[in-house]
Each structure stands twice: as structure tokens, then as C-alpha cells.
Amino acid sequence: MMDEPMEAEADSTQPDLNPDEKDEQSNKTPLLRPGNMVMMTITTEDYESLYWPKLEGAINQLLTMSPGQYMAISYEQMYSCVYKCVCKQFSDRLYTDLMNHMIQHLRNLNQQLQSSMQVENSKSFLEKFSFLVNQYILALGGIVPIFNYMNRFYVETKLKTDLNEELKKLFKLHILDQHISVLLTLLEEANAKPFTISPPVMANTIKNIHSINPEYAKMKPELFAKFIPSILPQTSVTDLDRYIEETQQIQRDLKVLPDFDSCPTRKKRTNEDDGRFSK
């Protein structure tokens, strides 16, 4: 299979236009120009002024999108842009621009985290990190499909790797490797004091860190094992006493919480006060 496939395919992303509208749109926006891919040409100027800016805008929207937020992005049109760039020998440029853009974004995130460490308490820092790592992973769920054609015919075929894994490696290199020791220490301390941060934030943070690099679990296996199965060796009979003690310690910790009531009082039914029952 060729690294740079040249496929003859009409652009199906555009609505039907009358001839005058087609000519006018073709002159104004070559990005949207319909026609046979074999006959179509893309110049460096086209790539730099039309194709990459369109893709860059979509990437920025996805990287800054909050969980649950909806962004009006035409995935079909973005996929079409990538398809045309790959078919017209711009795979290497496209991959390089994507990686450089992601690196710059992660450098900005790293600066935000470094600043927050200096002015925020550990709880706020952990919540900020949890939000950023979750936001990044969700963004990959949109970015990778957009660049799927490049991934198939350039990243996997020529570079012998996977785009999603490469983008996770960037987060590891520019964010996690810079903060992992502090993060795991803070997470361990928070885990020792129940509800210092909310259980969902704690669980999602640990799971996201592990999904980016499972090797981090070796640094704090007991911590990761509380949220991810099969981190520790299989349980043996000799471990039962330790697990019983851990359970009892959790119960003691819960009892000292001001809002915890292990046996809430219930108001008796009125007809039970004197031992009588209604018929």
C-alpha cells in the first residue's frame, strides 16, 4: 500500500450548487472546491492559508472545550481537509504542524500548572490538574478521528506508530513527567484523608494518569490499586489481616467526619409509642 494514496473521489461534503455558484465558490474557496481528486491540486499557499488554518481552528476548539460542552465542528469537512492533504503529498507537513501545535498547547498548560502550584492549595491544584488532563483526553477523542486518514496512511504505515499514542506521549513528556512526583504525593495524602477531594475527581485523575502511562503505577502501587484492578499481585490468605485493618481504619475515618451519622435516629410511628397498632 502506498504511503500517500492518490484516490479519485469527489468531495461529498458540499451541497449541490448551480454552475454559477460553483464557479464563484471555486474561485473564492479552493478548500471547498468540488471535483475529481486526481485533477485537483493543492499548493503550499493553499495549505498554509486554507487547509491548515481550518484544521487548526477545529483543534483549538476541541482543546479548550469543557466536558459536556458542544462545539459546532463539521467533522466531515475537517476529515475532507485531511484527506485532500494526504492525497496531495502534504502528510509530513500536516503531521509536523499538528505535533508542533499540540506541543505549544501543552507548554502553555504546563505554565498554568506551575503558576497554580505557587498560589493555590493542594486541593485546588489537584482539581485543576484533574480538569486539564480530562479535557485533553476528551479532546483526543475528537482530534484523532479528524486525522484518521493521516493516521492510517502516514503515521501507521510510514512512522510505524499510532497518532493517539503519540499525542498521549506528548502529554506525558510536557506535563506528567514535570509534575508526577508532586501529583502522586498530593493524591496519596488526599486519599489518606477521605473526601479531601471528591471521590469522582480522585478516581478519574488516577485512571487518566494510568491511561497515559501505566508505568506511573509502579511509583505508588497501593494508591493506583484502589482505583484500578490488577495493579497489585493476587491476594493471598496472609493479606486478610491487613485488609481487615484497612477497612476498620476507613470506618474510623468516616466516624470523625462532622456530617457522618452511622445510626440516624428515626421518629417512631405515633401508634408504636404506647405499643398499640392500628388495624
Side-chain angles (χ1 to χ4, degrees):
M1 183 177 294
M2 297 177 61
D3 292 344
E4 307 283 346
M6 297 291 291
E7 300 185 17
E9 180 176 304
D11 184 357
S12 62
T13 66
Q14 304 306 315
D16 293 334
L17 302 175
N18 63 47
D20 293 337
E21 290 175 328
K22 286 183 179 181
D23 292 340
E24 181 179 355
Q25 186 170 358
S26 176
N27 292 330
K28 289 183 178 180
T29 57
L31 173 66
L32 306 178
R33 182 170 55 224
N36 191 295
M37 276 298 300
V38 173
M39 303 301 295
M40 181 180 175
T41 59
I42 297 178
T43 65
T44 300
E45 182 180 358
D46 289 337
Y47 173 85
E48 293 176 350
S49 62
L50 296 171
Y51 288 86
W52 174 245
K54 197 80 172 178
L55 291 166
E56 185 180 41
I59 294 168
N60 287 336
Q61 288 188 64
L62 291 166
L63 288 173
T64 57
M65 183 171 60
S66 298
Q69 185 180 1
Y70 171 76
M71 289 290 185
I73 296 175
S74 172
Y75 282 89
E76 187 177 13
Q77 188 180 80
M78 295 304 103
Y79 186 92
S80 177
C81 289
V82 172
Y83 170 81
K84 292 171 184 176
C85 290
V86 172
C87 288
K88 296 303 177 181
Q89 312 297 316
F90 280 89
S91 294
D92 186 67
R93 175 71 183 273
L94 186 62
Y95 179 78
T96 300
D97 286 344
L98 172 62
M99 300 301 280
N100 287 339
H101 188 77
M102 299 297 282
I103 289 171
Q104 185 57 51
H105 172 75
L106 291 171
R107 286 173 177 168
N108 293 336
L109 292 188
N110 187 41
Q111 291 178 356
Q112 292 180 35
L113 288 171
Q114 288 177 340
S115 299
S116 67
M117 287 180 66
Q118 299 173 3
V119 299
E120 297 180 356
N121 57 38
S122 59
K123 179 177 182 293
S124 298
F125 175 75
L126 287 175
E127 290 175 343
K128 186 177 186 64
F129 173 81
S130 178
F131 175 83
L132 292 178
V133 66
N134 192 49
Q135 184 182 53
Y136 186 81
I137 290 177
L138 289 176
L140 296 191
I143 293 171
V144 173
I146 286 175
F147 288 87
N148 180 58
Y149 199 79
M150 182 188 73
N151 187 41
R152 288 168 53 203
F153 291 99
Y154 178 76
V155 181
E156 293 180 356
T157 304
K158 185 174 182 179
L159 304 182
K160 307 301 182 183
T161 184
D162 175 77
L163 181 60
N164 190 54
E165 291 303 314
E166 291 303 309
L167 295 178
K168 285 184 176 180
K169 287 178 184 178
L170 290 183
F171 194 91
K172 171 186 176 297
L173 178 64
H174 294 279
I175 302 293
L176 282 176
D177 284 352
Q178 313 299 319
H179 303 281
I180 191 63
S181 296
V182 173
L183 279 168
L184 294 184
T185 298
L186 294 177
L187 287 168
E188 191 172 46
E189 293 174 354
N191 186 65
K193 300 175 183 178
F195 304 103
T196 300
I197 62 175
S198 69
V201 170
M202 173 70 76
N204 287 336
T205 303
I206 294 293
K207 290 176 182 178
N208 284 335
I209 290 174
H210 186 265
S211 73
I212 291 174
N213 183 22
E215 293 297 310
Y216 288 135
K218 296 179 180 179
M219 299 174 66
K220 300 283 185 181
E222 297 284 345
L223 175 62
F224 280 83
K226 293 180 182 295
F227 304 95
I228 300 172
S230 303
I231 295 294
L232 298 176
Q234 292 184 351
T235 304
S236 65
V237 175
T238 58
D239 296 321
L240 292 179
D241 290 340
R242 179 167 60 86
Y243 290 138
I244 291 173
E245 174 57 30
E246 287 181 359
T247 302
Q248 292 173 344
Q249 183 61 49
I250 292 174
Q251 292 172 344
R252 290 192 291 268
D253 291 338
L254 287 173
K255 288 179 180 179
V256 301
L257 295 175
D259 297 329
F260 180 78
D261 189 351
S262 61
C263 185
T265 58
R266 294 182 180 178
K267 185 178 180 180
K268 288 185 177 181
R269 289 180 294 179
T270 304
N271 57 4
E272 288 183 354
D273 292 342
D274 56 3
R276 294 175 299 174
F277 296 88
S278 60
K279 294 182 179 180

